[in-house]
Amino acid sequence: MSNRKTVDISKEEIQEQKEYIDNIKELIKGRSLKYHIITYGCQMNIHDSEKLAGMLNSMGYTETSDQAEADLILFNTCCVRENAEHRVYGNVGALYLNKQQNPNLIIGICGCMMQQRDVSDYITKKFPFVDLIFGTHNLHRFPKLLLEAMDSRQTVVEVLDEEGRIVENVPIIRNLGVTAWTTIMYGCDNFCSYCIVPYVRGRERSRQPSDILDEINQLAEEGYKEVTLLGQNVNSYGKDFNEPYYFSNLLRYIDRVDGIERIRFMTSHPKDLSKDLILAMAESEKVCEHLHLPIQSGSNRILKQMNRGYSRENYLELVNEIRHQIPNIAITTDIIVGFPGETEEDFADTLDMVEKVRYDSAFTFIYSQRTGTPAAKMSKQIDENIKKERLQKLMDVQGKISKEINDKAHDTIVDVLVEGLSKKRDDMYTGRTPQNKLVNFAADHNTIGNIVKVKITQPKTWTLEGIMI
Ligand code: SF4
């Protein structure tokens, strides 16, 4: 029985989609049809694309990496940055000729961008050759919509405003054989002033612990060794349940799943990171010693403008507590420079926090106005050249710290979960330490899927190199 305030998609509705999958399978039987999915944005989107791929494979399509030979091209879009949206328009527009040459080509666009009505309306008008448009809340209805698009001469559009429903049992095709992502919750309630996500992904909805555990047990059976739990703010997991249930509870259960050797999660909002979660991480056997804790700014004034809900002092306290409980932990972060009104003093506070916390690495971004968010309307937008200068300074400071931290790993022996052959050198394998450091190393036999000991011989700024021992 569900203890969630929101409801699951009904079994009947799931069954209905399965029937559409079978219908398409029958329809395309004997033809070798291929699909190509182009994904923009975060891990949540990449994971959604895995679900779309899963449904397409169940229909009988096969994947191609060559857009030119695809019978179905799907854009899974992201709306976090406005220039990414412009790239989508450009890439969709470029398919006009393909569609002229091959009228049977099906072009679909889905994802966060489509959740904005003005954008989906614009695409329908500007690119009438697009066959299918749907949003994030109705991804599970893709089989039905695809079947309609196959039959229709007009663009099939379905963008639901409705949220609060969770779909289970959607087939998923995961690309990697060692590590897998599992979404544990959808949406976000935080409304950071620069972010569009709560408007397009809706309010927080947590999956049932039993559904998540079933999925992770299944992953273990399939041979996956590492699972990354995904949510816009995993620390809020369970807050939408009627009965109290916390992310720390979930971690403790997942820690007991046989076969899974490593657990990671992202993203963690500092204001919701509880002491019990830190304790659960410290006590668990499998939760990796890595925490991605976005700070966004080191200035209290800017943090307030961003509606982040914590101060630099709160953040530093958290970091001290985490390092006290988990001494080997690697902490990484996200930082935005050039938020509206950011003064040199505010920026100096950010650099100061970076020096104080000594992050292992940071994703650094230039603030860009996102229509539809409060920050986009704020006065005192910062000059682009100043933003670029600040970004460079920040990257220099962080790069130096990352290199100093990695240098300390020289000659040490680390545990690496091997993910595959290195993309750059086919005589080397690649994998990650519990601290999420990417290690490239020489090995004399196939080690994929194993945790091996590697001696670090060459620390670099962002990666480590070594020899398996
Ligand atoms: S926590 Fe803030 S930045 Fe993250 S998704 Fe929610 S609103 Fe956006």
Side-chain angles (χ1 to χ4, degrees):
M1 208 179 77
S2 171
N3 67 347
R4 198 190 301 122
K5 290 171 201 153
T6 52
V7 290
D8 288 345
I9 302 282
S10 70
K11 286 204 173 98
E12 290 73 28
E13 202 171 332
I14 293 290
Q15 186 51 36
E16 194 191 359
Q17 294 307 315
K18 285 190 176 145
E19 281 162 22
Y20 286 118
I21 287 180
D22 290 342
N23 289 346
I24 295 176
K25 197 171 178 178
E26 197 52 38
L27 199 70
I28 67 174
K29 202 157 115 190
R31 290 148 73 193
S32 142
L33 295 188
K34 297 194 167 79
Y35 70 88
H36 179 75
I37 303 178
I38 300 142
T39 309
Y40 301 81
C42 65
Q43 277 84 354
M44 299 282 281
N45 250 22
I46 298 171
H47 190 42
D48 279 352
S49 289
E50 291 181 332
K51 292 179 189 164
L52 291 163
M55 289 188 261
L56 284 163
N57 281 42
S58 304
M59 292 169 199
Y61 279 87
T62 53
E63 189 176 17
T64 174
S65 55
D66 181 3
Q67 185 172 300
E69 65 168 25
D71 304 281
L72 188 157
I73 299 175
L74 206 49
F75 292 87
N76 187 7
T77 63
C78 164
C79 63
V80 169
R81 289 173 199 283
E82 231 157 81
N83 16 6
E85 288 197 358
H86 294 136
R87 272 211 327 271
V88 171
Y89 295 143
N91 292 341
V92 172
L95 287 180
Y96 175 71
L97 277 182
N98 301 46
K99 186 78 179 178
Q100 295 289 307
Q101 284 157 6
N102 175 12
N104 292 328
L105 170 68
I106 293 181
I107 301 171
I109 316 182
C110 61
C112 307
M113 232 175 114
M114 297 307 102
Q115 266 326 123
Q116 305 166 94
R117 285 288 169 168
D118 51 336
V119 174
S120 47
D121 288 351
Y122 174 78
I123 288 189
T124 321
K125 285 196 193 95
K126 175 94 180 166
F127 309 110
F129 56 90
V130 167
D131 301 279
L132 173 60
I133 289 175
F134 58 103
T136 53
H137 301 319
N138 50 342
L139 184 120
H140 65 288
R141 286 168 57 81
F142 173 56
K144 175 179 192 289
L145 299 170
L146 178 59
L147 194 60
E148 279 177 24
M150 284 169 157
D151 276 347
S152 170
R153 284 170 182 273
Q154 285 175 339
T155 312
V156 171
V157 183
E158 188 182 273
V159 180
L160 302 183
D161 292 328
E162 179 188 19
E163 59 187 55
R165 306 203 309 162
I166 289 185
V167 195
E168 297 294 348
N169 299 320
V170 173
I172 302 173
I173 293 292
R174 293 181 161 94
N175 288 324
L176 304 169
V178 180
T179 63
W181 290 315
T182 298
T183 302
I184 62 164
M185 61 186 296
Y186 299 88
C188 181
D189 287 356
N190 286 311
F191 293 94
C192 300
S193 63
Y194 51 84
C195 182
I196 194 86
V197 166
Y199 305 95
V200 291
R201 288 257 172 188
R203 292 305 117 75
E204 289 169 355
R205 290 99 67 203
S206 306
R207 286 178 69 200
Q208 283 296 308
S210 55
D211 290 330
I212 296 169
L213 283 162
D214 284 350
E215 185 178 336
I216 293 174
N217 273 301
Q218 178 65 33
L219 289 171
E221 268 175 40
E222 289 169 18
Y224 288 93
K225 299 286 165 56
E226 178 181 299
V227 63
T228 301
L229 313 175
L230 294 178
Q232 305 294 347
N233 176 16
V234 291
N235 297 344
S236 287
Y237 176 81
K239 283 194 179 161
D240 54 326
F241 290 165
N242 289 321
E243 306 289 329
Y245 195 98
Y246 304 104
F247 182 49
S248 48
N249 302 135
L250 184 69
L251 270 191
R252 288 184 172 107
Y253 279 112
I254 299 174
D255 198 45
R256 295 181 209 152
V257 174
D258 284 340
I260 293 296
E261 297 185 27
R262 287 184 172 181
I263 304 163
R264 301 184 186 277
F265 55 86
M266 67 187 305
T267 293
S268 245
H269 195 304
K271 82 173 164 47
D272 299 311
L273 182 70
S274 68
K275 290 206 167 158
D276 190 48
L277 176 58
I278 299 173
L279 210 61
M281 289 175 73
E283 288 167 355
S284 78
E285 270 179 42
K286 299 173 183 173
V287 176
C288 288
E289 292 153 313
H290 170 226
L291 184 65
H292 187 70
L293 196 63
I295 183 161
Q296 307 300 9
S297 169
S299 152
N300 280 342
R301 204 178 64 80
I302 296 295
L303 285 172
K304 202 158 183 209
Q305 297 286 311
M306 286 177 163
N307 193 29
R308 289 291 290 172
Y310 53 84
S311 66
R312 53 187 273 132
E313 291 77 17
N314 304 147
Y315 188 97
L316 278 173
E317 262 173 47
L318 265 183
V319 168
N320 287 340
E321 175 70 18
I322 295 158
R323 290 211 163 115
H324 174 66
Q325 299 281 0
I326 313 166
N328 284 333
I329 197 148
I331 302 180
T332 56
T333 199
D334 296 335
I335 302 173
I336 298 172
V337 297
F339 187 81
E342 183 188 71
T343 61
E344 283 300 328
E345 232 177 15
D346 295 319
F347 178 62
D349 279 348
T350 296
L351 291 181
D352 179 60
M353 275 301 268
V354 170
E355 299 273 12
K356 281 199 166 81
V357 177
R358 290 185 65 77
Y359 295 104
D360 287 73
S361 66
F363 292 107
T364 51
F365 303 93
I366 281 183
Y367 170 78
S368 70
Q369 271 173 291
R370 177 62 268 196
T371 312
T373 62
K377 294 190 213 116
M378 287 180 186
S379 58
K380 300 193 187 153
Q381 298 285 333
I382 306 293
D383 177 84
E384 288 303 315
N385 288 328
I386 294 176
K387 287 184 198 171
K388 282 184 196 153
E389 274 170 31
R390 288 181 187 169
L391 181 73
Q392 192 53 56
K393 270 191 207 159
L394 175 62
M395 284 176 11
D396 290 347
V397 172
Q398 181 56 52
K400 188 168 161 286
I401 294 170
S402 296
K403 179 74 169 72
E404 284 167 5
I405 293 175
N406 279 358
D407 277 347
K408 287 197 184 141
H410 196 247
D411 278 343
T412 61
I413 292 163
V414 294
D415 288 327
V416 176
L417 173 59
V418 189
E419 292 175 18
L421 280 170
S422 159
K423 282 189 184 136
K424 292 192 181 141
R425 297 220 352 226
D426 59 10
D427 59 337
M428 289 188 114
Y429 287 88
T430 191
R432 286 176 189 272
T433 66
Q435 288 76 16
N436 209 31
K437 309 264 182 193
L438 191 75
V439 183
N440 293 310
F441 64 96
D444 56 8
H445 61 278
N446 186 349
T447 55
I448 297 170
N450 297 327
I451 293 180
V452 300
K453 301 259 179 225
V454 176
K455 182 171 181 180
I456 301 304
T457 52
Q458 213 185 333
K460 300 182 172 181
T461 305
W462 310 119
T463 59
L464 302 169
E465 264 188 39
I467 302 168
M468 190 177 130
I469 55 168

